[in-house]
Amino acid sequence: MSTATSAAAPDVSNPDVVLVVDFGAQYAQLIARRVREARVYSEIVPSTMPVAEMLAKNPKAIILSGGPSSVYAEGAPRLDRALFEAGVPVFGMCYGFQLMATTLGGTVDDNGAREYGRTPLSVSRAGSTLFEGTPTEQSVWMSHGDACSAAPEGFTVTASTDVVPVAAFENDEKKLYGVQYHPEVMHSTYGQQVLEHFLYRGAGIEPNWTTGNVIEEQVAAIREQVGDKRAICGLSGGVDSAVAAALVQKAIGSQLTCVYVDHGLMRKDETEQVEKDFVAATGANLKVVDASERFLNALAGVSDPETKRKIIGREFIRVFEQAQLEILQEDGPEVAFLVQGTLYPDIVESGGGTGTANIKSHHNVGGLPDDIEFELVEPLRQLFKDEVRMVGAELGLPDEIVQRQPFPGPGLGIRIVGEVTKDRLDLLREADAIAREELTAAGLDRDIWQCPVVLLADVRSVGVQGDGRTYGHPIVLRPVSSEDAMTADWTRMPYDVLAKISTRITNEVADVNRVVLDVTSKPPGTIEWE
Ligand code: XMP
């Protein structure tokens, strides 16, 4: 790949930031998303960050997330009391709630009052800041061992459960609030409302953050970062790279060149979408490299999935670098930037970081200096996937691009179990196009996370069609429901839609005489068959 160096990208400051302090166990990302759904900008910080550093970010409020520890466990994360004395409104959830309680002199003990899952909550102060306008009996999502039995001095207890006397408290004067449950989880029926009450009523924040602000801020930041130099962006056909490219195009216009490597493993019409629809919507300079022959040749005779992946990855880098070289040799200002569609979850999962990351790599293509350095432009670093889609829509990208379901980089190459050949790719493209068409017609696109369509090229079975026996391949349908692709369940699709897809594929696609449905969750099955 290419190389990029570290240079500080202009920091896009968000005056109304709410910090979500991450105590582990993946709750923080969900909380940060819920805060943004309330139209308030949020960022995640690790619980190990010194309080002074958190306060230096000038947050409008701080939320303490849940976490897997007991507050009494050795080595459990703690918080400096100064956090609660800075005059910044704080909302503790679950572990964060217990930490607030113990730090400020309340009592949390292991009294056997464990609660997991949906739990009835009784609100004792209906007009409280957090609970106003919500029912006195509501269902919340609990996940705790220890429980709070006495609130700190100055706090009012606002809710309880059958086994937990203090399930929520607040100190309105000091702007400190807490709930034992997880308001960020959908099963907490009024969770979003309680969170919004904290943000708007408790912390007095105006809900005015939108993805429209992001576009304006990023356009300004990209212009400042790139100046009058040039940038390159690799388009994969996926949502992230398309939206990143569209944003950068809006900022610097013809100083950006997009590169699309057509590896011949795309689904039907997808290359055309990039070539026509993306360019029509953005006006971007696009360099399309048709490398399908090269990929097919490199894949000839290979059935092992890992080897296929390696070959596709290697060829992709070579072709992309060749295209870079050609762009570098064109007349014009220095090409100093590489645009990437890195998202906020990528940043959080790789341990945060506020500066600009850089890529360094050695080139395989003759003619490029050994070590070209590109500075990265990552305009989506602050965004979650759903926000990226919103930004894309606002930038005028068509739904087919913005609402596209996940598709693996190696494309149909890993959806053919067996050797990849041109005929097999064409066959799979037809079957896949039928499945996609019928899913869209049935209005199921948004219910299904993705639906790989797989060709078992090494399997044949006997069938009967017309008045003759056939010996054809099976096609596998793999519709899954998921939140993040880490785990997934098979989608309970309507039988009539399955029937229609099956009938059409066996009628319309030569050499396919069976359609089967994959009813395996992940784990143990992966989403893709390879
Ligand atoms: P698995 O098959 O591991 O897939 O359950 C999880 C998710 O990742 C996608 N996937 C890929 N995406 N490059 C990508 O950009 C890849 O090489 C790749 N392999 C799998 C897969 O489609 C699913 O959404």
Side-chain angles (χ1 to χ4, degrees), residues 309 406-410 414-415 449-450 485 522 525-528 530:
R309 277 179 174 279
F407 185 64
I414 57 163
R415 289 186 180 171
W449 171 265
Q450 67 186 126
K522 174 185 176 177
T526 50
I527 293 176
E528 300 291 345
E530 304 191 27

Side-chain angles (χ1 to χ4, degrees), residues 423-458:
D423 290 347
R424 290 171 172 184
L425 281 168
D426 288 342
L427 181 162
L428 180 55
R429 259 192 280 271
E430 284 311 310
D432 176 77
I434 291 170
R436 284 197 288 150
E437 204 178 299
E438 293 302 332
L439 290 174
T440 303
L444 292 173
D445 286 340
R446 304 261 172 129
D447 299 335
I448 292 179
W449 171 265
Q450 67 186 126
C451 180
V453 174
V454 181
L455 171 65
L456 303 187
D458 289 344

